[in-house]
Amino acid sequence: MKKIIIGVLAVVIWFATVIGYTVAATSGDEDADEHDFTVLTVKEETVKDYNTMPVFTELARATGKDVYWTYNTSNQYSNNIDPVSIKGIDAIYHAGFSNLKLYNYGRRGKIVAIDNYMDSMPNFKRILENPLRQDIRQALESPDGHIYSLPRIEEMGLKAYPNLLFLNKEWVKQLINQNNMPDGVNLKEQDLQDGLKLKRSEFKAILQKFNEVNIAGVDAKNKVPLAFVSGNWQGNESDLIASFGVPENREHKTIVNDKVTFTIEDENWFNAIREMNDWYNRGLIRSSAFSQTQDEFLAKGQDGRYGAFYWWEKETVVAKDRQDDYIVLQPLLDDATNKQYVGLSNEQ
């Protein structure tokens, strides 16, 4: 079998600035052999075809390279014990391989050692040769000194605090104009700005109204008061749980007063789970929050069906013409203490 290129959590720009190829094909039953490269990636059915995305077609025009994207669903991919051996593919995007798996594939010659092609990747080479950032090269190298994958390197704080809370201000405006605001929540239209501070009980009451009343422009069967992706590395429910005074993350493990602490042993964690169960029973949280993939969450959010959602940014969740509909909230105030809490993730 020919060697292939592996991209683990690689950013889209990797194809343009590092490897220099992208998409020119269109969706359909085209023969992948007609293209310069065939790339396998994980994509759910609800996500748009990469072969038609403007960013890739523009990169194809700029580079003169023709890439054809082929797909597995997350279930198909996770059930394949040896995706590198799939016939006809040249690379895997978002492979999700462990360091050990990359090393084993590399030493057996089944994937390309990317560092052998540094002269063809001047931008990537410049990063690795920066004397002040040798930590990047060290993070990428396998025990044999080769680099077999191109992971994302993030230094903006996204990994540490990946759960910002966004509220659909246009839905709240409808409640205000219809005199449907819940009792005890005194908001005016001019209050609906980024940085709005709400108590958890106020937020819950607003979600309850979202669930009960008709929202213009939104099909009732598609309406989702609060959306997130349970257990995902970003956009999960951790900060909702944290609002009860426990610094939650998806591993339930954090440092409190210089001691490793398991959040699920905290009484506040149990209080949060009981309250979330009530939110679920009231229809404020849908069952999809606990079963959907990240891609499914993003695809469903494009048409503005979320009353509120957790994510790092709204730009990837809702379509461009709907982004002004949402504001970012401060962390919810705990009603018992009137304090704000957020969780710190253990992501690298």
Side-chain angles (χ1 to χ4, degrees), residues 38-185:
T38 298
V39 183
L40 172 69
T41 191
V42 176
K43 183 183 81 66
E44 309 303 338
E45 293 180 358
T46 52
V47 179
K48 294 179 181 179
D49 184 1
Y50 288 18
N51 292 303
T52 63
M53 288 185 176
V55 64
F56 291 126
T57 56
E58 171 58 23
L59 286 173
R61 184 201 62 76
T63 62
K65 296 298 181 181
D66 174 14
V67 166
Y68 180 76
W69 293 87
T70 186
Y71 309 109
N72 277 181
T73 65
S74 55
N75 284 336
Q76 288 172 328
Y77 187 76
S78 62
N79 289 330
N80 191 324
I81 62 173
D82 188 20
V84 165
S85 296
I86 296 175
K87 184 179 179 181
I89 63 169
D90 300 294
I92 301 177
Y93 184 60
H94 283 238
F97 292 164
S98 66
N99 289 336
L100 178 60
K101 197 165 190 176
L102 286 170
Y103 174 61
N104 285 334
Y105 273 137
R107 68 185 179 86
R108 289 156 51 197
K110 299 192 74 173
I111 59 176
V112 168
I114 299 170
D115 53 285
N116 291 335
Y117 302 90
M118 285 298 176
D119 289 340
S120 299
M121 299 180 284
N123 294 325
F124 186 43
K125 183 178 181 180
R126 190 178 304 116
I127 291 172
L128 296 186
E129 291 181 345
N130 183 344
L132 300 179
R133 295 310 310 269
Q134 288 304 294
D135 56 322
I136 296 177
R137 174 180 281 277
Q138 292 168 5
L140 301 184
E141 286 184 349
S142 286
D144 61 5
H146 287 299
I147 297 173
Y148 294 111
S149 68
L150 296 172
R152 176 188 291 121
I153 295 175
E154 185 280 314
E155 297 180 323
M156 299 184 298
L158 163 59
K159 288 283 190 173
Y161 301 101
N163 303 309
L164 301 185
L165 179 56
F166 296 89
L167 176 68
N168 194 321
K169 69 177 182 182
E170 295 304 316
W171 289 20
V172 179
K173 285 181 182 179
Q174 289 189 40
L175 298 181
I176 293 173
N177 293 334
Q178 297 166 7
N179 293 319
N180 264 327
M181 286 296 290
D183 293 339
V185 182

Side-chain angles (χ1 to χ4, degrees), residues 174-228:
Q174 289 189 40
L175 298 181
I176 293 173
N177 293 334
Q178 297 166 7
N179 293 319
N180 264 327
M181 286 296 290
D183 293 339
V185 182
N186 300 311
L187 288 179
K188 301 180 176 59
E189 285 195 21
Q190 57 265 35
D191 298 325
L192 302 176
Q193 305 288 334
D194 286 337
L196 177 64
K197 185 184 295 186
L198 292 175
K199 292 182 178 179
R200 189 177 57 249
S201 60
E202 294 174 325
F203 180 63
K204 178 183 180 181
I206 291 172
L207 297 183
Q208 186 71 56
K209 284 293 184 179
F210 286 168
N211 196 45
E212 294 172 352
V213 307
N214 292 325
I215 301 295
V218 181
D219 191 328
K221 69 177 184 295
N222 292 330
K223 183 172 57 177
V224 181
L226 175 61
F228 52 81

